Amino acid sequence: PINLGSTEMVDMIEFANIAMSFEEKNLPIKHIDGPMGVRGRNSNNKLILEKLGWEPAVLIKDGLKKTYFWIKEQLDAQEKDGKDISAFSKSEVVQQTDDTLMQLGK
């Protein structure tokens, strides 16, 4: 497999703040107790550069902004058509176990 992503290191707080900045939103960020994961994520593009001589050049902020407004456009269209979009504003914390990971790709 080849990684395809930004080499920028971004933690989840930064990621949320980037997303909120597109429409100058200042929403509370709720921290959920759980195991401590990695402090941030970025992509190691060494293999894609080696194999294809190319690596992604889109900044996280730019890619997320394009995605954000595409999703907003889809939701606005659904709402305009009279569809209930309230389910898209809810999330659920789920307990992930090893056996659920084993079911991926089956």
Side-chain angles (χ1 to χ4, degrees), residues 17-100:
N17 285 325
I18 291 168
M20 288 189 288
S21 75
F22 302 141
E23 294 194 78
E24 299 178 11
K25 294 181 187 257
N26 187 17
L27 303 171
I29 295 174
K30 181 180 178 184
H31 295 275
I32 300 170
D33 288 335
M36 176 60 77
V38 297
R39 295 277 184 195
R41 293 265 182 211
N42 68 336
S43 180
N44 180 341
N45 293 336
K46 181 180 176 186
L47 186 59
I48 195 170
L49 184 59
E50 176 187 310
K51 298 293 183 185
L52 302 179
W54 175 88
E55 64 181 327
V58 176
L59 298 174
I60 288 175
K61 182 178 180 180
D62 297 335
L64 185 57
K65 186 174 189 177
K66 184 174 182 178
T67 303
Y68 175 92
F69 284 107
W70 180 86
I71 292 170
K72 186 176 188 322
E73 182 180 292
Q74 303 308 303
L75 291 173
D76 289 347
Q78 293 271 323
E79 193 171 39
K80 185 178 177 186
D81 288 344
K83 296 182 181 162
D84 180 15
I85 63 168
S86 63
F88 294 112
S89 65
K90 297 179 178 118
S91 63
E92 178 182 343
V93 176
V94 296
Q95 181 67 36
Q96 186 171 339
T97 60
D98 287 345
D99 60 333
T100 58

Side-chain angles (χ1 to χ4, degrees), residues 1-16:
I2 294 178
N3 289 336
L4 181 62
S6 174
T7 58
E8 295 173 85
M9 178 65 80
V10 177
D11 66 34
M12 294 310 296
I13 301 292
E14 289 173 282
F15 197 78

